[in-house]
Amino acid sequence: MARPMLAQGLELAEPAHYHEFAFGIGRPDGMYILRYRVEDFLDMGSTRQDFLHQLYIAPHGMLAVRHGTDFGFVGPGEAFWASRAARHEVWASGPQTVYRVCLREPPPALRDLRCGATALSAEAGEAVVTVCRDDVAQDDGLQARATIVDGVVPLPARGDTTNRSDRGPALRVARELARNPADPRSLQEWAAELHLSGRTLQRDFHRVFGTSFARRRTQFRLEAAKVLLRVDSVATVARRVGYASPSSFVVAFRTAFGQTPGSFSRDT
């Protein structure tokens, strides 16, 4: 089947299972979405799209991203933006679902951003997920596009956890942990920065993520490690994701995935 005109020339990541959803093709406000089902690992490679702006979203996981010399992670309540003609790389470890939203016109708030992480509203994230169905009408898809472009804005400065527009303290902390999985601050230290009790912050982690602060931080660290193990040694990765020693990292990784980091690295 021929691909929509909006998507002609779009580089696709392989191997990955993906589905395509197109709305308003041929219109300036058209939108084209690729939904990837990532079982093991998704490597977009070095990507540049001269005609489309791109927004990458992982609603329930993390993305590792590189543009220029900048390398980092994009976590919950965030997306990665790449304007047209901006070369970038995106990786994701599975299992998770990743969405790649392609636009001809950029969101108003991102016109001056060439590449980088953005904040993503709950409404925009939900719109991306729900519009990716075969039974969605064109008008409904274009309405979802409006919700998406209105819901992406530049992130606050790194380390700023005081922005009350975020959806609760757990999400604000989680964003920082996703950007820097090695951050050593404890639950009590984060709570003090947010002028909360540790119990209140812990309760919000359970509300938002269904698990504790410690377990969510471990998940971030191990998700980041699965990406980094493809390019760095076990000892280097352990340090980069916040473990005091390679041995403690090996124990955590084997507990989570049933194999050692070294075995995982060799298999991939």
Side-chain angles (χ1 to χ4, degrees):
M1 183 175 65
R3 303 182 67 210
M5 184 63 68
L6 183 63
Q8 295 297 322
L10 186 66
E11 300 171 59
L12 295 179
E14 298 289 356
H17 298 292
Y18 66 88
H19 290 85
E20 302 168 301
F21 305 88
F23 304 97
I25 299 304
R27 296 172 44 163
D29 62 347
M31 175 176 68
Y32 176 69
I33 302 179
L34 294 101
R35 183 184 65 195
Y36 299 89
R37 301 292 194 189
V38 185
E39 297 301 328
D40 178 29
F41 192 76
L42 175 65
D43 183 353
M44 297 281 187
S46 182
T47 300
R48 168 178 167 163
Q49 175 48 236
D50 289 335
F51 302 103
L52 299 173
H53 306 285
Q54 297 175 82
L55 189 69
Y56 298 84
I57 301 167
H60 304 294
M62 288 176 63
L63 299 173
V65 299
R66 188 199 309 274
H67 55 100
T69 59
D70 293 333
F71 175 86
F73 297 95
V74 175
E78 297 181 346
F80 178 70
W81 169 254
S83 61
R84 62 168 60 104
R87 186 162 293 282
H88 58 282
E89 297 175 81
V90 178
W91 306 270
S93 62
Q96 65 168 311
T97 301
V98 175
Y99 298 84
R100 187 179 186 182
V101 182
C102 305
L103 305 166
R104 278 183 168 166
E105 294 184 346
L110 303 183
R111 290 188 184 278
D112 296 328
L113 179 64
R114 180 169 173 78
C115 248
T118 74
L120 181 75
S121 72
E123 295 77 14
E126 182 178 355
V128 171
V129 173
T130 57
V131 79
C132 289
R133 302 195 317 268
D134 293 332
D135 60 347
V136 175
Q138 288 291 302
D139 287 346
D140 292 336
L142 292 174
Q143 185 174 354
R145 179 197 180 279
T147 300
I148 294 166
V149 299
D150 286 344
V152 286
V153 296
L155 282 172
R158 185 166 186 167
D160 178 8
T161 56
T162 62
N163 185 352
R164 295 295 168 178
S165 65
D166 285 337
R167 303 188 299 277
L171 185 57
R172 294 199 293 277
V173 173
R175 283 179 173 175
E176 292 298 314
L177 293 176
R179 294 186 207 178
N180 179 20
D183 192 302
R185 282 172 284 186
S186 67
L187 174 71
Q188 294 298 333
E189 288 171 323
W190 278 113
E193 287 194 23
L194 295 169
H195 308 290
L196 301 170
S197 69
R199 178 176 295 181
T200 297
L201 182 56
Q202 186 77 282
R203 188 163 52 240
D204 201 47
F205 262 89
H206 280 283
R207 178 185 67 83
V208 175
F209 299 109
T211 192
S212 68
F213 163 83
R215 288 185 177 179
R216 191 66 183 110
R217 181 174 64 179
T218 296
Q219 289 169 355
F220 281 136
R221 288 178 171 179
L222 296 180
E223 287 172 24
K226 288 176 73 175
V227 174
L228 295 173
L229 282 167
R230 294 173 179 265
V231 295
D232 283 329
S233 68
V234 171
T236 299
V237 172
R239 183 177 65 255
R240 289 186 67 179
V241 300
Y243 284 90
S245 68
S247 60
S248 60
F249 169 55
V250 169
V251 170
F253 195 95
R254 183 164 48 197
T255 299
F257 304 121
Q259 63 181 142
T260 66
S263 175
F264 174 84
S265 181
R266 289 191 296 272
D267 290 346
T268 57

